[in-house]
mmCIF file of all heavy atoms in Angstrom:
data_model
loop_
_atom_site.group_PDB
_atom_site.id
_atom_site.type_symbol
_atom_site.label_atom_id
_atom_site.label_comp_id
_atom_site.label_asym_id
_atom_site.label_seq_id
_atom_site.Cartn_x
_atom_site.Cartn_y
_atom_site.Cartn_z
ATOM 1 N N ILE A 1 3.762 -9.181 8.143
ATOM 2 C CA ILE A 1 4.936 -10.006 8.382
ATOM 3 C C ILE A 1 5.509 -10.444 7.031
ATOM 4 O O ILE A 1 4.778 -10.948 6.164
ATOM 5 C CB ILE A 1 4.536 -11.270 9.180
ATOM 6 C CG1 ILE A 1 3.981 -10.881 10.552
ATOM 7 C CG2 ILE A 1 5.749 -12.206 9.351
ATOM 8 C CD1 ILE A 1 3.395 -12.031 11.330
ATOM 9 N N PRO A 2 6.780 -10.214 6.743
ATOM 10 C CA PRO A 2 7.329 -10.535 5.409
ATOM 11 C C PRO A 2 7.384 -12.048 5.183
ATOM 12 O O PRO A 2 7.835 -12.785 6.067
ATOM 13 C CB PRO A 2 8.759 -9.914 5.456
ATOM 14 C CG PRO A 2 9.079 -9.828 6.948
ATOM 15 C CD PRO A 2 7.789 -9.615 7.651
ATOM 16 N N GLN A 3 6.991 -12.420 3.959
ATOM 17 C CA GLN A 3 7.044 -13.799 3.539
ATOM 18 C C GLN A 3 8.015 -13.918 2.361
ATOM 19 O O GLN A 3 8.310 -12.920 1.683
ATOM 20 C CB GLN A 3 5.676 -14.274 3.122
ATOM 21 C CG GLN A 3 4.553 -14.114 4.193
ATOM 22 C CD GLN A 3 4.813 -14.938 5.442
ATOM 23 O OE1 GLN A 3 5.242 -16.040 5.334
ATOM 24 N NE2 GLN A 3 4.461 -14.412 6.600
ATOM 25 N N LYS A 4 8.464 -15.084 2.104
ATOM 26 C CA LYS A 4 9.367 -15.361 0.941
ATOM 27 C C LYS A 4 10.480 -14.344 0.896
ATOM 28 O O LYS A 4 11.257 -14.202 1.819
ATOM 29 C CB LYS A 4 8.530 -15.415 -0.335
ATOM 30 C CG LYS A 4 7.492 -16.548 -0.341
ATOM 31 C CD LYS A 4 6.740 -16.625 -1.603
ATOM 32 C CE LYS A 4 5.672 -17.747 -1.572
ATOM 33 N NZ LYS A 4 4.910 -17.843 -2.814
ATOM 34 N N ALA A 5 10.548 -13.555 -0.182
ATOM 35 C CA ALA A 5 11.645 -12.566 -0.343
ATOM 36 C C ALA A 5 11.165 -11.124 -0.104
ATOM 37 O O ALA A 5 11.799 -10.170 -0.547
ATOM 38 C CB ALA A 5 12.278 -12.662 -1.681
ATOM 39 N N GLU A 6 10.097 -10.978 0.595
ATOM 40 C CA GLU A 6 9.553 -9.641 0.855
ATOM 41 C C GLU A 6 10.449 -8.882 1.793
ATOM 42 O O GLU A 6 11.197 -9.413 2.619
ATOM 43 C CB GLU A 6 8.138 -9.749 1.418
ATOM 44 C CG GLU A 6 7.112 -10.289 0.452
ATOM 45 C CD GLU A 6 5.737 -10.441 1.064
ATOM 46 O OE1 GLU A 6 5.682 -10.754 2.308
ATOM 47 O OE2 GLU A 6 4.745 -10.269 0.398
ATOM 48 N N ILE A 7 10.335 -7.521 1.694
ATOM 49 C CA ILE A 7 11.065 -6.596 2.534
ATOM 50 C C ILE A 7 10.103 -5.778 3.358
ATOM 51 O O ILE A 7 9.190 -5.120 2.814
ATOM 52 C CB ILE A 7 11.928 -5.668 1.687
ATOM 53 C CG1 ILE A 7 12.885 -6.485 0.794
ATOM 54 C CG2 ILE A 7 12.708 -4.674 2.556
ATOM 55 C CD1 ILE A 7 13.533 -5.663 -0.320
ATOM 56 N N LEU A 8 10.234 -5.762 4.674
ATOM 57 C CA LEU A 8 9.389 -4.959 5.547
ATOM 58 C C LEU A 8 10.098 -3.676 5.882
ATOM 59 O O LEU A 8 11.180 -3.621 6.388
ATOM 60 C CB LEU A 8 9.108 -5.749 6.853
ATOM 61 C CG LEU A 8 8.158 -5.011 7.846
ATOM 62 C CD1 LEU A 8 6.793 -4.874 7.267
ATOM 63 C CD2 LEU A 8 8.153 -5.726 9.159
ATOM 64 N N ILE A 9 9.416 -2.576 5.509
ATOM 65 C CA ILE A 9 9.979 -1.235 5.764
ATOM 66 C C ILE A 9 9.171 -0.531 6.846
ATOM 67 O O ILE A 9 7.965 -0.522 6.864
ATOM 68 C CB ILE A 9 9.899 -0.397 4.477
ATOM 69 C CG1 ILE A 9 10.794 -0.992 3.375
ATOM 70 C CG2 ILE A 9 10.301 1.028 4.745
ATOM 71 C CD1 ILE A 9 10.734 -0.233 2.067
ATOM 72 N N ARG A 10 9.969 -0.006 7.802
ATOM 73 C CA ARG A 10 9.378 0.901 8.794
ATOM 74 C C ARG A 10 9.288 2.260 8.170
ATOM 75 O O ARG A 10 10.321 2.912 7.880
ATOM 76 C CB ARG A 10 10.224 0.935 10.050
ATOM 77 C CG ARG A 10 9.852 2.040 11.082
ATOM 78 C CD ARG A 10 8.456 1.792 11.670
ATOM 79 N NE ARG A 10 8.183 2.712 12.764
ATOM 80 C CZ ARG A 10 7.440 3.818 12.645
ATOM 81 N NH1 ARG A 10 6.935 4.140 11.476
ATOM 82 N NH2 ARG A 10 7.196 4.559 13.693
ATOM 83 N N VAL A 11 8.103 2.752 7.886
ATOM 84 C CA VAL A 11 7.867 3.960 7.117
ATOM 85 C C VAL A 11 8.117 5.205 7.970
ATOM 86 O O VAL A 11 7.539 5.305 9.035
ATOM 87 C CB VAL A 11 6.426 3.952 6.528
ATOM 88 C CG1 VAL A 11 6.176 5.302 5.783
ATOM 89 C CG2 VAL A 11 6.224 2.781 5.603
ATOM 90 N N HIS A 12 8.952 6.100 7.500
ATOM 91 C CA HIS A 12 9.141 7.387 8.088
ATOM 92 C C HIS A 12 8.205 8.426 7.462
ATOM 93 O O HIS A 12 7.589 9.214 8.176
ATOM 94 C CB HIS A 12 10.597 7.822 8.002
ATOM 95 C CG HIS A 12 11.514 7.102 8.941
ATOM 96 N ND1 HIS A 12 12.567 7.713 9.555
ATOM 97 C CD2 HIS A 12 11.516 5.793 9.356
ATOM 98 C CE1 HIS A 12 13.196 6.816 10.359
ATOM 99 N NE2 HIS A 12 12.575 5.666 10.208
ATOM 100 N N SER A 13 8.168 8.396 6.133
ATOM 101 C CA SER A 13 7.333 9.307 5.341
ATOM 102 C C SER A 13 6.709 8.601 4.191
ATOM 103 O O SER A 13 7.376 7.728 3.598
ATOM 104 C CB SER A 13 8.104 10.524 4.926
ATOM 105 O OG SER A 13 8.504 11.353 6.017
ATOM 106 N N ALA A 14 5.499 8.962 3.820
ATOM 107 C CA ALA A 14 4.820 8.417 2.649
ATOM 108 C C ALA A 14 4.335 9.503 1.753
ATOM 109 O O ALA A 14 3.750 10.494 2.238
ATOM 110 C CB ALA A 14 3.662 7.510 3.090
ATOM 111 N N GLY A 15 4.604 9.387 0.453
ATOM 112 C CA GLY A 15 4.122 10.402 -0.505
ATOM 113 C C GLY A 15 2.694 10.223 -0.845
ATOM 114 O O GLY A 15 2.149 9.162 -0.772
ATOM 115 N N VAL A 16 2.058 11.369 -1.183
ATOM 116 C CA VAL A 16 0.625 11.338 -1.605
ATOM 117 C C VAL A 16 0.533 11.949 -2.987
ATOM 118 O O VAL A 16 0.881 13.095 -3.207
ATOM 119 C CB VAL A 16 -0.234 12.157 -0.650
ATOM 120 C CG1 VAL A 16 -1.701 12.076 -1.048
ATOM 121 C CG2 VAL A 16 -0.075 11.677 0.808
ATOM 122 N N THR A 17 0.041 11.113 -3.919
ATOM 123 C CA THR A 17 -0.261 11.589 -5.283
ATOM 124 C C THR A 17 -1.798 11.778 -5.319
ATOM 125 O O THR A 17 -2.540 10.801 -5.059
ATOM 126 C CB THR A 17 0.187 10.596 -6.345
ATOM 127 O OG1 THR A 17 1.602 10.476 -6.287
ATOM 128 C CG2 THR A 17 -0.219 11.060 -7.767
ATOM 129 N N GLY A 18 -2.271 12.978 -5.626
ATOM 130 C CA GLY A 18 -3.680 13.292 -5.438
ATOM 131 C C GLY A 18 -4.675 12.396 -6.120
ATOM 132 O O GLY A 18 -5.776 12.170 -5.599
ATOM 133 N N ASP A 19 -4.277 11.858 -7.271
ATOM 134 C CA ASP A 19 -5.228 10.998 -8.053
ATOM 135 C C ASP A 19 -5.023 9.568 -7.800
ATOM 136 O O ASP A 19 -5.774 8.716 -8.362
ATOM 137 C CB ASP A 19 -5.067 11.289 -9.538
ATOM 138 C CG ASP A 19 -5.503 12.732 -9.915
ATOM 139 O OD1 ASP A 19 -6.354 13.255 -9.220
ATOM 140 O OD2 ASP A 19 -4.910 13.284 -10.841
ATOM 141 N N GLU A 20 -4.077 9.165 -6.961
ATOM 142 C CA GLU A 20 -3.748 7.757 -6.882
ATOM 143 C C GLU A 20 -4.896 6.918 -6.287
ATOM 144 O O GLU A 20 -5.020 5.716 -6.635
ATOM 145 C CB GLU A 20 -2.487 7.540 -6.025
ATOM 146 C CG GLU A 20 -2.654 7.760 -4.534
ATOM 147 C CD GLU A 20 -1.364 7.444 -3.783
ATOM 148 O OE1 GLU A 20 -0.425 8.208 -3.983
ATOM 149 O OE2 GLU A 20 -1.369 6.520 -2.997
ATOM 150 N N ILE A 21 -5.756 7.506 -5.484
ATOM 151 C CA ILE A 21 -6.867 6.731 -4.903
ATOM 152 C C ILE A 21 -7.795 6.262 -6.015
ATOM 153 O O ILE A 21 -8.487 5.245 -5.892
ATOM 154 C CB ILE A 21 -7.590 7.587 -3.870
ATOM 155 C CG1 ILE A 21 -8.459 6.705 -2.957
ATOM 156 C CG2 ILE A 21 -8.441 8.667 -4.533
ATOM 157 C CD1 ILE A 21 -8.958 7.458 -1.737
ATOM 158 N N LEU A 22 -7.860 6.979 -7.127
ATOM 159 C CA LEU A 22 -8.698 6.572 -8.211
ATOM 160 C C LEU A 22 -8.072 5.478 -9.059
ATOM 161 O O LEU A 22 -8.767 4.921 -9.944
ATOM 162 C CB LEU A 22 -8.982 7.810 -9.130
ATOM 163 C CG LEU A 22 -9.608 8.986 -8.414
ATOM 164 C CD1 LEU A 22 -9.747 10.172 -9.379
ATOM 165 C CD2 LEU A 22 -10.955 8.626 -7.813
ATOM 166 N N TRP A 23 -6.828 5.116 -8.828
ATOM 167 C CA TRP A 23 -6.193 4.022 -9.536
ATOM 168 C C TRP A 23 -6.667 2.710 -9.018
ATOM 169 O O TRP A 23 -6.506 1.623 -9.631
ATOM 170 C CB TRP A 23 -4.715 4.066 -9.411
ATOM 171 C CG TRP A 23 -4.057 5.354 -9.880
ATOM 172 C CD1 TRP A 23 -4.646 6.346 -10.619
ATOM 173 C CD2 TRP A 23 -2.746 5.758 -9.572
ATOM 174 N NE1 TRP A 23 -3.716 7.338 -10.787
ATOM 175 C CE2 TRP A 23 -2.558 7.040 -10.189
ATOM 176 C CE3 TRP A 23 -1.688 5.192 -8.908
ATOM 177 C CZ2 TRP A 23 -1.377 7.727 -10.125
ATOM 178 C CZ3 TRP A 23 -0.491 5.905 -8.800
ATOM 179 C CH2 TRP A 23 -0.337 7.179 -9.406
ATOM 180 N N LEU A 24 -7.276 2.690 -7.821
ATOM 181 C CA LEU A 24 -7.598 1.428 -7.170
ATOM 182 C C LEU A 24 -8.930 0.882 -7.669
ATOM 183 O O LEU A 24 -9.956 0.960 -6.979
ATOM 184 C CB LEU A 24 -7.640 1.618 -5.654
ATOM 185 C CG LEU A 24 -6.364 2.275 -5.067
ATOM 186 C CD1 LEU A 24 -6.529 2.458 -3.560
ATOM 187 C CD2 LEU A 24 -5.156 1.422 -5.326
ATOM 188 N N GLN A 25 -8.953 0.362 -8.876
ATOM 189 C CA GLN A 25 -10.168 -0.195 -9.448
ATOM 190 C C GLN A 25 -10.577 -1.441 -8.699
ATOM 191 O O GLN A 25 -11.772 -1.783 -8.625
ATOM 192 C CB GLN A 25 -9.984 -0.442 -10.915
ATOM 193 C CG GLN A 25 -9.633 0.782 -11.725
ATOM 194 C CD GLN A 25 -10.671 1.864 -11.595
ATOM 195 O OE1 GLN A 25 -11.864 1.645 -11.645
ATOM 196 N NE2 GLN A 25 -10.243 3.124 -11.420
ATOM 197 N N SER A 26 -9.645 -2.179 -8.225
ATOM 198 C CA SER A 26 -9.908 -3.359 -7.413
ATOM 199 C C SER A 26 -8.838 -3.444 -6.325
ATOM 200 O O SER A 26 -7.722 -2.907 -6.529
ATOM 201 C CB SER A 26 -9.908 -4.639 -8.247
ATOM 202 O OG SER A 26 -8.684 -4.836 -8.877
ATOM 203 N N TYR A 27 -9.134 -4.085 -5.252
ATOM 204 C CA TYR A 27 -8.161 -4.075 -4.145
ATOM 205 C C TYR A 27 -8.313 -5.361 -3.383
ATOM 206 O O TYR A 27 -9.449 -5.800 -3.109
ATOM 207 C CB TYR A 27 -8.338 -2.871 -3.224
ATOM 208 C CG TYR A 27 -7.071 -2.406 -2.638
ATOM 209 C CD1 TYR A 27 -6.160 -1.678 -3.335
ATOM 210 C CD2 TYR A 27 -6.749 -2.754 -1.339
ATOM 211 C CE1 TYR A 27 -4.958 -1.255 -2.790
ATOM 212 C CE2 TYR A 27 -5.578 -2.370 -0.732
ATOM 213 C CZ TYR A 27 -4.686 -1.612 -1.480
ATOM 214 O OH TYR A 27 -3.516 -1.244 -0.931
ATOM 215 N N PRO A 28 -7.220 -5.984 -2.980
ATOM 216 C CA PRO A 28 -7.248 -7.304 -2.390
ATOM 217 C C PRO A 28 -7.704 -7.419 -0.939
ATOM 218 O O PRO A 28 -7.839 -8.471 -0.399
ATOM 219 C CB PRO A 28 -5.839 -7.861 -2.567
ATOM 220 C CG PRO A 28 -4.982 -6.619 -2.539
ATOM 221 C CD PRO A 28 -5.825 -5.540 -3.185
ATOM 222 N N THR A 29 -7.852 -6.229 -0.281
ATOM 223 C CA THR A 29 -8.174 -6.295 1.159
ATOM 224 C C THR A 29 -9.505 -5.586 1.418
ATOM 225 O O THR A 29 -9.954 -4.771 0.606
ATOM 226 C CB THR A 29 -7.082 -5.597 2.021
ATOM 227 O OG1 THR A 29 -7.063 -4.226 1.652
ATOM 228 C CG2 THR A 29 -5.732 -6.224 1.776
ATOM 229 N N LEU A 30 -10.109 -5.884 2.557
ATOM 230 C CA LEU A 30 -11.394 -5.259 2.909
ATOM 231 C C LEU A 30 -11.172 -3.867 3.406
ATOM 232 O O LEU A 30 -12.114 -3.018 3.350
ATOM 233 C CB LEU A 30 -12.079 -6.132 3.976
ATOM 234 C CG LEU A 30 -12.510 -7.531 3.536
ATOM 235 C CD1 LEU A 30 -13.086 -8.258 4.725
ATOM 236 C CD2 LEU A 30 -13.526 -7.460 2.395
ATOM 237 N N SER A 31 -10.022 -3.538 3.910
ATOM 238 C CA SER A 31 -9.693 -2.191 4.469
ATOM 239 C C SER A 31 -8.494 -1.666 3.732
ATOM 240 O O SER A 31 -7.385 -1.654 4.253
ATOM 241 C CB SER A 31 -9.478 -2.307 5.942
ATOM 242 O OG SER A 31 -10.524 -2.825 6.634
ATOM 243 N N PRO A 32 -8.663 -1.198 2.490
ATOM 244 C CA PRO A 32 -7.467 -0.830 1.672
ATOM 245 C C PRO A 32 -6.730 0.356 2.251
ATOM 246 O O PRO A 32 -7.270 1.352 2.734
ATOM 247 C CB PRO A 32 -8.127 -0.484 0.289
ATOM 248 C CG PRO A 32 -9.515 -0.137 0.614
ATOM 249 C CD PRO A 32 -9.913 -0.994 1.745
ATOM 250 N N ILE A 33 -5.391 0.250 2.142
ATOM 251 C CA ILE A 33 -4.507 1.325 2.529
ATOM 252 C C ILE A 33 -3.879 1.880 1.263
ATOM 253 O O ILE A 33 -3.313 1.134 0.455
ATOM 254 C CB ILE A 33 -3.379 0.759 3.470
ATOM 255 C CG1 ILE A 33 -4.013 0.200 4.714
ATOM 256 C CG2 ILE A 33 -2.406 1.884 3.853
ATOM 257 C CD1 ILE A 33 -3.012 -0.612 5.554
ATOM 258 N N PRO A 34 -3.965 3.207 1.059
ATOM 259 C CA PRO A 34 -3.351 3.761 -0.184
ATOM 260 C C PRO A 34 -1.878 3.972 -0.001
ATOM 261 O O PRO A 34 -1.316 3.783 1.086
ATOM 262 C CB PRO A 34 -4.075 5.139 -0.299
ATOM 263 C CG PRO A 34 -4.359 5.544 1.110
ATOM 264 C CD PRO A 34 -4.657 4.210 1.865
#
């Protein structure tokens, strides 16, 4: 749910960068979404 000035996007397509999962050295949620 968008708060403050956030924008909620209904995603049609999402790009995948092969190494991006390794960028997540820390993550704010228990069930991280890349």
